[in-house]
Amino acid sequence: MRLPLLALAALAPFGALFAADLPALIPLPAKAEAIEGRFKLTADTAIVAPGELANEAGYLAQRLRTAAGIPAPVNATGAGIVLALDKSIPAEGYALEVTPAGVSIRGGSPAGVFYGVQTFLQALPAAVYGSDLAPKADWSAQAMKVQDAPLTPWRGLMLDSARHFQPKPFILKFIDAMAAQKLNKLHWHLVDSEGWRLEIKKYPKLTEVTKDAPAYYPEEIPTNPTFRAKYRYGYNHGGGHYTQDDIREIVAYAKARHVDIIPEIEFPGHAKIALTAYPEFSTTRKVPEVRTNISPDLIGVHPEALRFIRDLLDETMDLFPGDHIHFGGDEAPKGQWKQSKEVQAKIDELGLRSSSHPEDALQAWLFNEMAAYVAKRGKRAVGWEEIMHGDNLGRLAKGSVIMPWLSVKNGAVSANSGYGVVHTAVSPFYLDSYQVRDDREPSALYGGPFTAESIHRFNLFPGELTPEGRKNILGAQCQLWTELMPRTDDVEYQAFPRACALAELTWTAPDRRKDTGEFMARLAKHGDRLTALGLNHRRVAPPPGAGWSPVLLAAGRPMEIPVPAAVAAKLAKNPTLTATFNYKEGGAGLDIASVELLADGKVVATDKHAGFAGTHPRDNVYRLALPKGQKPEKLVLRATVKGSGGGDSTGEVALDASK
Ligand code: ACM
């Protein structure tokens, strides 16, 4: 039988990439092989770890106690699950060996051991990530050998807590969810025009003014009718902030999970709320009037304004021990600086008049002043791409990190010029975008769809990079801007599972993650872990399905999809096959005329209704009952379909069994 190309592509990796019984590991380790047997957790299972690994042992013990209900004592010596440091392994790397007799996790550092623990947890039932006891789960792990280390040091998510405030318990949960994917950088957007969320003792009005601010501004309502219909303006109040005690608790929680928090204190733009609280630090000294996100109001460069920024950085650095601090720097329209005599005098004083863009050069000077200030405490400054605009490359302080969000090319140019670069391009890393094209999805500012697949396929090392530049690529990060995410449920849904694709992009070497289809199959299984983590995530269609593509549609043949063994096994109990045609992207969609089920080449069931899979799907679920006595073997689904409109759509068919 000739199988459609896409069906083959979807099926082949299961046997090909690894032994069938390895658990679905995400991110895919550098090397992993399943071996004979299983390791069983019992009431006698102990965790053996030296004092330096008390944190990692405690984390593992807590998971096993909570979910498996075993005592999991932590001992200094003995047998069981043995954690150890091994300096021959890269710092964030680990070697994991699971055998029926015991488990060994060796890491190059406590972080490496922690990641080995995460991989071990993925060999246990998904419930291990949950907060409830799961006594019925099979508390055993597939025996396997894994050797692993991350591709890049920056595996990040940016969370905007300024546009909408998320309460502390959510932040802790979010950090747990990141750690489970081996993500290690939480870039925390704590301040913006709409809200200042960080308690600053010296400037209490920052958070006081925030209490009365709306969650976002009416002017920001997008004009697109589908956005408007779903835009939940006024859904919740704009108030809320983290006290310094909250921050200390969150930072300690993150540290225990090897997540660094990079706080973002924005200047000179996106500062409306700060300048409403303290207009004396603005360029105009007036309370801002314009209520838009990209506010025209800029912090000034007079001595009091510089003192203000340094004071903010002092308290921020006292709270966040990590080695990076973010200065924002994006979307700072220079109108006020152009008109201010004081600012223009400063440009002259600094000798910046002859530069091609004097106000941009002044922004670079301001950035550098503050970069030098934080460098005294061992911190590296990070800024959005705009800090290199206006011919600022070369002018910026050495050692600065740039986040190119507007242009991947500017990332390559910055890296070639010696700056650290974290990929943050809108496409595909802005998660305030649709993750599939479907009107039922939550509203999104950035369109899209930017899919998990597109993140997984991103090229971290574009061709423009020189060998030196390549070394400056620190990794990548997804952005969660929350203008349209008033509820924490919304944040979770937009983040997951796309953050898992980012995790694999930044962890797994490119030659190891060539097969995005195979990743999606693992991701579908990984969904159970996201559920156990309590996340409101988008479910990936159950694997293995198969789908359609422009190539398949152009061939004009019926789609033929072999029913996978896992679904056939379910059919033995629940003998009706359901086939759901899910549109993903591209022109119009798919017209479905009829669907047949074949057993050993003979039609045994037919569902002949007309259906459509597209942005507005219609009757796109087909039900095919297996006749009594028919064994669920050698089954193939055959669908007579036609591309609708331009005919260049892509989608998948999810197969499952039901009564
Ligand atoms: C940004 O999206 N303004 C960094």
Side-chain angles (χ1 to χ4, degrees):
M1 182 185 66
R2 253 184 76 103
L3 287 178
L5 269 181
L6 210 78
L8 273 176
L11 290 173
F14 280 88
L17 244 192
F18 35 49
D21 44 5
L22 258 185
L25 302 176
I26 287 187
L28 189 63
K31 276 191 195 159
E33 59 171 315
I35 51 180
E36 202 47 39
R38 299 187 73 78
F39 170 77
K40 288 197 172 56
L41 288 179
T42 69
D44 296 327
T45 302
I47 298 168
V48 182
E52 309 106 283
L53 295 174
N55 171 63
E56 291 64 35
Y59 174 91
L60 173 59
Q62 200 230 338
R63 290 287 94 234
L64 301 184
R65 288 170 194 156
T66 306
I70 61 170
V74 178
N75 303 331
T77 56
I81 305 172
V82 180
L83 312 186
L85 289 173
D86 180 340
K87 294 293 172 207
S88 71
I89 295 173
E92 287 192 292
Y94 66 90
L96 164 68
E97 214 170 314
V98 180
T99 71
V103 176
S104 153
I105 303 173
R106 290 177 295 121
S109 69
V113 172
F114 185 77
Y115 297 133
V117 165
Q118 291 298 346
T119 301
F120 172 59
L121 293 182
Q122 292 195 352
L124 291 169
V128 78
Y129 285 102
S131 46
D132 299 324
L133 192 62
K136 294 216 179 102
D138 166 14
W139 287 109
S140 70
Q142 172 63 46
M144 59 182 180
K145 272 192 190 170
V146 180
Q147 267 185 358
D148 201 11
L151 175 69
T152 72
W154 193 298
R155 308 181 297 278
L157 295 183
M158 189 222 74
L159 176 64
D160 170 6
S161 297
R163 271 52 175 272
H164 280 99
F165 173 77
Q166 303 93 20
K168 184 179 67 182
F170 170 79
I171 304 296
L172 302 180
K173 174 182 176 188
F174 193 74
I175 289 167
D176 267 325
M178 284 181 69
Q181 328 299 319
K182 304 187 176 83
L183 294 170
N184 68 340
K185 302 282 182 201
L186 172 57
H187 165 182
W188 204 0
H189 190 77
L190 282 163
V191 309
D192 210 303
S193 281
E194 294 89 335
W196 187 282
R197 309 298 182 182
L198 174 64
E199 180 188 21
I200 299 286
K201 302 265 191 206
K202 194 158 181 188
Y203 300 103
K205 279 193 282 180
L206 292 168
T207 44
E208 273 163 29
V209 170
T210 294
K211 277 192 200 131
D212 302 321
Y216 30 72
Y217 300 133
E219 289 87 347
E220 289 292 302
I221 295 176
T223 49
N224 180 317
T226 59
F227 289 142
R228 216 169 33 217
K230 292 178 181 174
Y231 197 72
R232 287 163 286 199
Y233 178 66
Y235 188 95
N236 70 350
H237 187 262
H241 72 269
Y242 308 98
T243 65
Q244 295 203 349
D245 281 343
D246 288 338
I247 298 288
R248 279 185 278 271
E249 181 184 339
I250 290 166
V251 165
Y253 195 86
K255 182 162 183 270
R257 286 153 184 78
H258 297 280
V259 173
D260 294 330
I261 305 185
I262 297 93
E264 181 178 346
I265 301 294
E266 275 249 52
F267 61 84
H270 282 276
K272 185 198 160 272
I273 205 98
L275 299 178
T276 301
Y278 296 99
E280 60 269 40
F281 304 131
S282 80
T283 305
T284 61
R285 316 292 202 275
K286 291 193 187 120
V287 174
E289 282 173 7
V290 181
R291 289 161 67 86
T292 57
N293 172 6
I294 306 179
S295 149
D297 291 282
L298 296 194
I299 296 179
V301 289
H302 48 296
E304 297 77 11
L306 300 184
R307 180 75 261 152
F308 173 60
I309 299 174
R310 289 194 181 100
D311 287 344
L312 296 173
L313 296 176
D314 279 340
E315 288 198 34
T316 305
M317 288 190 287
D318 288 344
L319 290 167
F320 293 93
D323 51 11
H324 290 85
I325 183 161
H326 202 299
F327 294 166
D330 57 317
E331 299 176 321
K334 300 296 184 301
Q336 288 190 350
W337 277 10
K338 280 198 164 80
Q339 276 160 22
S340 158
K341 285 206 181 89
E342 181 182 51
V343 172
Q344 292 302 315
K346 187 80 184 172
I347 286 173
D348 288 330
E349 179 197 319
L350 294 169
L352 301 174
R353 179 65 56 206
S354 59
S355 47
S356 60
H357 301 83
E359 289 76 22
D360 289 324
L362 183 68
Q363 180 169 343
W365 170 83
L366 179 60
F367 183 93
N368 289 349
E369 282 289 292
M370 298 306 157
Y373 190 68
V374 301
K376 285 192 223 152
R377 289 177 67 173
K379 315 257 181 200
R380 200 171 172 189
V382 187
W384 293 110
E385 176 180 339
E386 284 92 329
I387 61 165
M388 58 76 78
H389 288 179
D391 294 333
N392 273 341
L393 268 190
R395 188 175 275 128
L396 285 172
K398 293 245 168 324
S400 304
V401 176
I402 297 174
M403 292 189 163
W405 66 283
L406 293 159
S407 139
V408 176
K409 186 160 172 275
N410 276 341
V413 173
S414 303
N416 288 346
S417 303
Y419 299 101
V421 165
V422 178
H423 285 292
T424 52
V426 169
S427 170
F429 297 121
Y430 272 35
L431 302 190
D432 193 4
S433 58
Y434 293 97
Q435 47 190 324
V436 285
R437 196 184 296 276
D438 185 331
D439 263 3
R440 290 163 302 182
E441 289 289 300
S443 35
L445 269 186
Y446 285 96
F450 306 146
T451 58
E453 290 99 317
S454 60
I455 293 170
H456 192 262
R457 286 195 194 105
F458 184 82
N459 180 8
L460 290 174
F461 307 110
E464 296 98 331
L465 281 175
T466 60
E468 260 323 287
R470 193 183 162 100
K471 289 188 204 150
N472 292 323
I473 299 294
L474 302 178
Q477 176 178 287
C478 284
Q479 279 51 248
L480 287 151
W481 300 107
T482 58
E483 286 97 329
L484 298 189
M485 301 181 202
R487 302 170 312 159
T488 53
D489 261 10
D490 303 324
V491 178
E492 290 171 13
Y493 187 81
Q494 295 293 37
F496 292 97
R498 285 184 287 187
C500 310
L502 188 277
E504 184 148 309
L505 171 73
T506 51
W507 183 280
T508 309
D511 61 349
R512 202 43 197 147
R513 65 172 153 77
K514 278 197 194 116
D515 191 339
T516 296
E518 181 274 332
F519 164 73
M520 292 304 288
R522 267 183 292 123
L523 188 60
K525 293 182 183 164
H526 191 64
D528 289 344
R529 299 184 191 122
L530 302 179
T531 300
L533 283 158
L535 297 167
N536 174 39
H537 59 106
R538 178 171 187 276
R539 270 274 172 195
V540 173
W548 69 94
S549 66
V551 176
L552 190 71
L553 295 178
R557 284 194 299 269
M559 289 169 72
E560 290 193 342
I561 302 170
V563 176
V567 177
K570 283 204 212 166
L571 281 170
K573 267 201 197 149
N574 297 309
T576 297
L577 181 72
T578 58
T580 308
F581 290 72
N582 293 313
Y583 164 85
K584 291 182 113 173
E585 54 196 26
L590 188 77
D591 285 319
I592 309 142
S594 71
V595 177
E596 297 163 310
L597 183 62
L598 286 75
D600 213 1
K602 289 204 194 72
V603 176
V604 294
T606 304
D607 182 343
K608 244 185 142 118
H609 77 266
F612 174 68
T615 311
H616 302 278
R618 233 180 316 103
D619 305 323
N620 60 329
V621 182
Y622 286 76
R623 297 171 62 80
L624 299 132
L626 216 54
K628 273 212 163 46
Q630 174 71 51
K631 286 211 175 107
E633 286 168 9
K634 297 188 185 164
L635 297 178
V636 172
L637 185 91
R638 182 162 71 195
T640 305
V641 298
K642 193 159 65 70
S644 169
D648 64 349
S649 70
T650 301
E652 65 199 1
V653 183
L655 300 180
D656 206 351
S658 71
K659 282 198 188 122

